[in-house]
Amino acid sequence: MNAKQRLMEETATKVISRMESCGADWVRSWVPDSTQNPRSMSTGKAYTGINWLILGLNRAEHEYPTGEYGTFNAWQGKGAN
């Protein structure tokens, strides 16, 4: 299995798991309010497509307070470590 297939399988597993744990009350829990959509911290552009889904699931899973994502170097450039 290549990396892309592995990522797609992991993503599908996460979605199915969230659906099963919520039962009939299932909602897309990885969908943030519009102010917290996954976006690039360096460009401010919103992620789209599968990146939006993967980052939204990641945010929901780890309960991150923001939808801002960046590379290590980008965060370091903003003074983060």
Side-chain angles (χ1 to χ4, degrees):
M1 182 181 306
N2 66 36
K4 183 177 179 180
Q5 290 170 322
R6 203 170 23 258
L7 178 61
M8 293 302 149
E9 187 174 304
E10 289 172 9
T11 302
T13 300
K14 287 180 181 181
V15 170
I16 292 167
S17 174
R18 288 195 168 266
M19 290 170 73
E20 289 174 343
S21 68
C22 294
D25 294 329
W26 176 73
V27 294
R28 297 177 304 165
S29 57
W30 60 86
V31 177
D33 65 53
S34 61
T35 64
Q36 294 299 324
N37 282 326
R39 67 189 178 291
S40 168
M41 57 83 59
S42 57
T43 66
K45 293 173 80 175
Y47 288 96
T48 60
I50 193 69
N51 292 325
W52 182 88
L53 174 61
I54 292 168
L55 293 173
L57 284 166
N58 186 54
R59 181 175 179 269
E61 180 180 355
H62 297 286
E63 298 180 3
Y64 293 143
T66 178
E68 211 168 28
Y69 289 86
T71 65
F72 177 81
N73 289 338
W75 283 110
Q76 203 171 33
K78 295 257 185 181
N81 46 355

